[in-house]
Amino acid sequence: MKALIFSDRLNGYAELVAASKSLGAEAVAFIVASKDEAGKCPASKVYQSDVDSSKMLDDYFPALRSVVDIEKPDVVLISATKRGKLMAGRLAAVNNTSAITDISSLEVDGDAFIGEQMYYGGIAVRTLKSKVFTIVTIPQGTFDATGVVGTAGEAVNVPVPATSGKIVRKEVRPKAGGQVNLADAKRVVSVGRGFVKREDLNIAQELASAICAELGCTRPVAEGEGWMETARYIGVSGVSLKPDVYLAVGISGQVQHTIGIGSAKTIIAVNKDKNAPIFKCCDYGIVGDLYKIVPELTKLIRG
């Protein structure tokens, strides 16, 4: 069995290789990067297209399509980013097949792929089955990439056709807030609507710094209030995590959020509402005012 993998994030390939191995499939990659960066991809074979700052990711679609035609994989695994889903949809359309998005698990049953997908905002799971060549998008953090190491086997350069579209990239600016990779974090401190105002998030940031953790949040904090970038949103349509320690501060614990932290080894919660749902899924819970408890925790940790 063969899986073609593609991600618009260089750090996404290890997880896609892990997903391929879980299926018992050989991983062949298409990557938009320099030759040196492509050589670090742990796939058995890598098709590489050079980065062109004037091109959009869409401009590399013909190259991806050509690799599919050459390799004829059984399945294509793509990181479930916004751009990744766009590429998956186009690839499914031109190949007259289906795209299964945001799967939470994937396995092979005879000649069929079986995927599970969160439904109704995370309160249900539906099972999808495909017996044909399938495109699958995988959210960050779904598969454990621990131990996936190595370098590319055979490397093949894939030329990119001249851009024929009307959209031309003129400039690239770093996104405000910097880079974040929650899926690989060993410790995460996450904030919810228990915080009254944006400035108060510094309380959680101090705790995160004290334990060398990444800072995450719930959907209302990112998309509702706009207090944090959406890359830090954890939940059913955000990032799924597998950290050693997850500390939820001021988070009620609705299923849309907890579905993204179910694989955490240890969950600790701080909430003033003793009936908050988060206390039903945490390992340790502290009932009290986060504005008093979190600074005290930080002080104790720092000695």
Side-chain angles (χ1 to χ4, degrees), residues 62-163:
L64 173 61
R65 183 181 180 181
S66 70
V67 174
V68 172
D69 292 339
I70 294 170
E71 287 292 329
K72 295 179 172 54
D74 299 285
V75 63
V76 179
L77 306 178
I78 299 178
S79 293
T81 61
K82 291 180 180 178
R83 294 184 180 91
K85 291 178 184 179
L86 174 63
M87 297 288 267
R90 290 186 65 184
L91 197 60
V94 298
N95 284 281
N96 194 30
T97 189
S98 59
I100 301 175
T101 60
D102 294 330
I103 62 96
S104 56
S105 69
L106 186 66
E107 62 182 36
V108 178
D109 181 13
D111 61 348
F113 290 97
I114 309 295
E116 289 188 339
Q117 181 186 69
M118 299 299 169
Y119 204 46
Y120 292 129
I123 64 174
V125 176
R126 63 179 174 184
T127 301
L128 304 173
K129 185 175 184 179
S130 175
K131 289 190 175 182
V132 295
F133 168 66
T134 306
I135 318 296
V136 179
T137 69
I138 301 176
Q140 185 181 17
T142 303
F143 290 88
D144 186 1
T146 303
V148 177
V149 295
T151 56
E154 181 183 357
V156 179
N157 180 260
V158 182
V160 180
T163 303

Side-chain angles (χ1 to χ4, degrees), residues 192-210:
R193 290 299 302 275
F195 286 84
V196 176
K197 55 184 184 294
R198 185 173 192 165
E199 293 75 16
D200 296 342
L201 299 183
N202 289 330
I203 298 172
Q205 182 60 69
E206 287 293 322
L207 177 59
S209 298

Side-chain angles (χ1 to χ4, degrees), residues 206-265:
E206 287 293 322
L207 177 59
S209 298
I211 63 174
C212 300
E214 282 281 6
L215 193 64
C217 66
T218 60
R219 183 173 185 173
V221 171
E223 296 186 353
E225 300 294 343
W227 290 352
M228 298 179 70
E229 57 266 41
T230 56
R232 296 186 185 273
Y233 154 45
I234 300 161
V236 65
S237 56
V239 180
S240 295
L241 306 178
K242 296 180 180 179
D244 293 335
V245 177
Y246 181 80
L247 208 161
V249 182
I251 293 175
S252 64
Q254 299 301 319
V255 66
Q256 292 87 349
H257 177 75
T258 57
I259 204 73
I261 63 172
S263 296
K265 292 181 180 178

Side-chain angles (χ1 to χ4, degrees), residues 43 169 199 262 298:
R169 177 185 289 172
E199 293 75 16
T298 303

